[in-house]
């Protein structure tokens, strides 16, 4: 399906949102840990940020680092930068000072908008790699630093938005780092528009009556859509939370603010179901949940629906495509699959020679064609060419399409294992392990045996409740054997307290591989 052109050649996404909500000035747009902010306040403050950025000497296309916890100042800062034509670089709040030093140098950001709690890490990053950061503005300052409210108080709101076009560079996101060094992914103004038009409206059916809450943070592509692009496009209200999305923290927001739509990841849903504080159905107002980040195991979806009476709409998106392009539908949920392509996107499976796979139940590399694709990776021509291939984007995921046209996740391309000459999907083994009542989480990798051949190893987090029984490992091996082909069961199982993950909940299997390498164990 070909998508229509944007309405008019010139387009600024922040201006677009403000025009969409011009009649909702008194309606609450955001509720963070401190209090509410109306749509009118959002626009006024964002346009003041735009004016302050320009007054600080930033010009069109200059970068400003956005290192901020989820709070009302985040959308104010992001939209203010877009309005000014300045490029916000949204960054993970859980990185090290060395990581921030890399991002500052890589993006050449000339200003930083930072949460007070993250200011020490920022200052350490600047000391590690001196950068030309002329302006540092602190959200909710706890010391004499220049605060965001003070910074914008003396300037009038910027009268007119920057005269950008749909394909102008709008913002950067850094990939989550599940496979190592993050990449600066460059998106246009149009990318935001299309994710809302193609996914939020027709698939999620969001309206201004909804209250949304996302466990995924705003710096993540998934969270940016959930807590900014989607709800603001339709005039909904958004709950923001600065702290980590633990089950207890999420339950508090679900029962106090009663969101109608919750956006999470499989790890979070598993943790909720295992929590003794899981609220009963009548204490929440959920009509639907969304899951992305990693494929949702069937067992988690079925148990969540049985408890809360609402579906989890599982889909797959990426930083490169900005949001979800392959998804289940509220009226067509098939747990254990990622559904079908979202209208407006085309999907292909290709074999190792790049040929399109037409038949069912054959694993191939997933390619996507759609209007929300990123423009490039900044200063990384080689990886840009590898990923952005003409109209198509290579996802790095392996999938198969079943006989009914539903897509089933097989794993990341660099995580797939070849055992005894046969491909084994780590995700399939992990999902099977998680069906066992004693297992909370699992991650499967390949390790070499004494002959240099690949065998499967599972890292398992057992559910709380005391020491792990000595017989559980053998029990889990037998459990998997009864459900999958013999070649797929894990030859080795190691029980751990937790799995290494990115801030967005993706399992970092490369860290497990490093842990299991001969150099690490020898």
């Amino acid at each position: 399906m070909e998508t229509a052109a944007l309405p008019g050649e010139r387009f600024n996404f922040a201006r677009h949102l403000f025009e969409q909500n011009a009649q909702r000035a008194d309606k609450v747009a955001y509720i963070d840990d401190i209090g509410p902010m109306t749509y009118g306040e959002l626009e006024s403050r964002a346009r003041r940020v735009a004016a302050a950025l320009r007054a600080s000497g930033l010009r069109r296309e200059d970068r400003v680092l956005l290192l901020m916890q989820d709070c009302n100042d985040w959308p104010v800062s992001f939209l203010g930068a877009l309005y000014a034509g300045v490029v916000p670089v949204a960054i993970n709040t859980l990185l090290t000072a060395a990581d921030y030093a890399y991002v500052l140098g890589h993006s050449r950001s000339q200003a930083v908008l930072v949460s007070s709690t993250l200011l020490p890490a920022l200052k350490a990053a600047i000391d590690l790699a001196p950068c030309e950061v002329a302006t540092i503005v602190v959200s909710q300052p706890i010391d004499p630093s220049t605060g965001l409210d003070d910074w914008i108080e003396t300037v009038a709101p910027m009268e007119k938005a920057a005269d950008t076009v749909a394909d102008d560079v709008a913002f950067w996101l850094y990939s989550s780092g599940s496979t190592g060094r993050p990449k600066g992914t460059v998106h246009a103004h149009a990318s935001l528009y299309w994710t809302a038009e193609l996914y939020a409206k027709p698939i999620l059916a969001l309206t201004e009556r909804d209250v949304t809450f996302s466990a995924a943070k705003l710096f993540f592509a998934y969270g940016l859509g959930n807590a900014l692009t989607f709800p603001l496009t339709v005039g909904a209200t958004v709950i923001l939370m600065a702290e980590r999305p633990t089950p207890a923290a999420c339950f508090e927001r679900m029962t106090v603010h009663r969101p109608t739509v919750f956006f999470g990841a499989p790890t979070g849903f598993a943790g909720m179901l295992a929590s003794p504080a899981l609220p009963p159905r009548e204490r929440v107002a959920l009509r639907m949940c969304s899951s992305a980040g990693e494929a949702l195991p069937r067992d988690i979806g079925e148990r969540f629906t049985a408890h809360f009476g609402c579906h989890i709409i599982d889909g797959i998106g990426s930083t490169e495509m900005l949001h979800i392009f392959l998804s289940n539908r509220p009226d067509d949920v098939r747990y254990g699959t990622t559904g079908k392509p979202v209208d407006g996107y085309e999907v292909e499976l290709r074999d190792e020679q790049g040929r399109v796979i037409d038949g069912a139940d054959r694993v191939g590399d997933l390619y996507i064609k759609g209007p929300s694709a990123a423009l490039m990776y900044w200063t990384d021509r080689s990886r840009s060419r590898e990923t952005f291939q003409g109209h198509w984007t290579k996802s790095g995921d392996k999938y198969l399409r079943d006989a009914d046209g539903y897509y089933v996740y097989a794993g990341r391309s660099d995580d797939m294992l070849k055992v005894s000459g046969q491909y084994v999907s780590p995700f399939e083994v992990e999902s099977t392990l998680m069906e066992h009542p004693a297992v909370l989480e699992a991650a499967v990798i390949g390790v070499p045996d004494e002959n240099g051949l690949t065998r499967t190893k599972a890292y398992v987090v057992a559910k709380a409740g005391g020491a792990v029984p000595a017989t559980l490992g053998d029990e889990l091996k037998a459990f998997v054997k009864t459900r999958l082909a013999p070649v797929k069961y894990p030859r080795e199982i190691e029980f751990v307290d937790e799995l290494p993950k990115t801030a967005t909940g993706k399992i970092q299997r490369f860290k497990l591989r490093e842990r299991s390498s001969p150099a690490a164990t020898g």
Side-chain angles (χ1 to χ4, degrees):
M1 171 183 172
E2 292 294 329
T3 50
L6 280 171
E9 181 184 8
R10 317 212 70 79
F11 183 77
N12 181 290
F13 186 73
R15 180 181 61 205
H16 167 71
L17 287 185
F18 298 154
E19 290 173 350
Q20 292 283 105
N21 294 295
Q23 306 305 314
R24 298 188 179 99
D26 295 330
K27 183 182 179 182
V28 173
Y30 284 96
I31 303 173
D32 68 3
D33 296 337
I34 294 176
M37 176 174 64
T38 66
Y39 273 95
E41 291 167 334
L42 170 64
E43 178 178 350
S44 176
R45 295 187 70 215
R47 289 171 58 197
R48 287 178 184 275
V49 165
L53 286 169
R54 288 296 191 91
S56 297
L58 273 77
R59 299 166 297 176
R60 285 275 301 272
E61 299 184 16
D62 283 343
R63 268 82 68 191
V64 53
L65 191 71
L66 186 52
L67 176 57
M68 197 177 290
Q69 306 284 4
D70 278 20
C71 64
N72 290 347
D73 286 348
W74 205 108
V76 164
S77 301
F78 183 84
L79 293 174
L82 295 187
Y83 198 81
V86 174
V87 178
V89 177
I91 186 65
N92 188 332
T93 58
L94 299 176
L95 300 181
T96 65
D99 291 323
Y100 295 137
Y102 167 76
V103 171
L104 281 170
H106 186 245
S107 67
R108 298 194 289 275
S109 294
Q110 298 183 32
V112 183
L113 306 183
V114 58
S115 289
S116 58
T117 53
L118 297 168
L119 187 58
L122 173 66
K123 290 180 176 178
I126 293 174
D127 290 340
L128 283 172
C131 305
E132 297 178 5
V133 179
T135 303
I136 298 176
V137 181
V138 183
S139 172
Q140 301 166 6
I142 55 176
D143 59 29
S145 304
T146 301
L148 183 68
D149 288 333
D150 297 327
W151 186 54
I152 66 176
E153 185 179 29
T154 58
V155 296
M158 187 169 172
E159 185 176 348
K160 292 183 179 180
D163 190 24
T164 53
V165 300
D167 288 336
D168 262 325
V169 173
F171 64 100
W172 295 14
L173 297 174
Y174 275 84
S175 60
S176 58
S178 61
T179 57
R181 178 74 81 179
K183 302 180 287 290
T185 309
V186 180
H187 273 284
H189 282 267
S191 296
L192 295 159
Y193 174 88
W194 286 121
T195 60
E197 293 299 312
L198 299 178
Y199 187 72
K201 290 181 178 180
I203 304 294
L204 300 181
L206 290 181
T207 73
E208 63 181 349
R209 296 185 297 276
D210 279 310
V211 177
T212 70
F213 173 42
S214 176
K217 299 299 184 180
L218 279 158
F219 65 77
F220 178 38
Y222 180 49
L224 179 63
N226 305 340
L228 191 149
T229 312
F230 295 177
L232 297 192
T233 293
V234 300
T237 296
V238 187
I239 309 302
L240 292 179
M241 176 177 73
E243 64 183 295
R244 290 180 58 248
T246 62
C250 291
F251 294 156
E252 179 182 350
R253 274 74 181 182
M254 286 180 178
T255 55
V256 172
H257 297 296
R258 295 175 64 81
T260 57
V261 181
F262 173 72
F263 299 87
T267 297
F269 288 115
M272 289 180 182
L273 290 170
S275 172
L278 184 69
R281 181 185 301 189
E282 59 271 16
R283 290 195 61 201
V284 304
L286 296 173
R287 70 169 180 86
M288 180 176 60
C289 293
S290 168
S291 180
E294 290 198 302
L296 180 74
R298 181 196 308 271
D299 178 65
I300 293 176
E302 291 175 346
R303 288 193 289 124
F304 193 92
T305 296
H307 182 84
F308 284 114
C310 66
H311 285 301
I312 300 176
I313 309 303
D314 187 32
I316 181 174
S318 67
T319 305
E320 291 77 9
M321 296 302 297
L322 191 55
H323 215 278
I324 290 171
F325 49 81
L326 187 63
S327 182
N328 281 269
R329 271 73 167 166
D331 59 351
D332 185 16
V333 174
R334 185 173 293 196
Y335 286 131
T337 81
T338 317
K340 298 180 179 180
V342 172
D343 286 345
Y345 294 90
E346 295 178 40
V347 169
E348 286 184 353
L349 298 182
R350 301 181 187 176
D351 64 18
E352 293 178 353
Q353 287 72 46
R355 296 172 300 206
V356 176
I357 296 173
D358 292 323
D361 297 324
R362 293 176 56 197
V363 173
D365 292 304
L366 182 69
Y367 285 75
I368 314 100
K369 177 182 177 183
S372 62
L375 302 175
M376 62 179 159
Y377 298 131
W378 186 253
T379 63
D380 199 335
R381 193 173 188 182
S382 175
R383 287 199 288 185
S384 292
R385 284 177 165 175
E386 181 181 348
T387 299
F388 306 108
Q389 302 180 10
H391 291 291
W392 294 90
T393 300
K394 183 178 181 180
S395 73
D397 297 290
K398 294 279 191 182
Y399 264 85
L400 64 83
R401 183 177 57 253
D402 69 17
D404 296 322
Y406 294 85
Y407 284 74
V408 180
Y409 182 66
R412 290 289 296 173
S413 298
D414 48 9
D415 288 333
M416 291 292 287
L417 308 175
K418 205 161 194 178
V419 181
S420 299
Q422 301 180 49
Y423 276 114
V424 174
S425 163
F427 176 75
E428 183 182 22
V429 183
E430 292 160 3
S431 298
T432 303
L433 284 166
M434 290 173 63
E435 291 177 9
H436 192 283
V439 175
L440 176 62
E441 292 184 293
V444 172
I445 63 169
V447 296
D449 64 14
E450 63 276 8
N451 298 313
L453 301 174
T454 299
R455 58 184 171 83
T456 50
K457 177 177 180 178
Y459 286 90
V460 172
V461 179
K463 290 182 178 176
V468 176
T471 59
L472 184 56
D474 289 337
E475 182 181 335
L476 292 177
K477 292 178 184 179
F479 181 81
V480 175
K481 284 182 181 179
T482 64
R483 287 161 170 77
L484 299 178
V487 71
K488 297 181 180 181
Y489 87 91
R491 268 52 173 185
E492 182 181 351
I493 294 179
E494 181 176 336
F495 292 95
V496 294
D497 293 332
E498 62 181 0
L499 299 173
K501 299 188 186 78
T502 68
T504 58
K506 293 182 180 179
I507 296 171
Q508 294 175 309
R509 291 174 182 82
F510 76 93
K511 290 189 175 181
L512 296 175
R513 287 192 288 269
E514 291 171 356
R515 174 173 170 171
S516 295
S517 69
T521 57

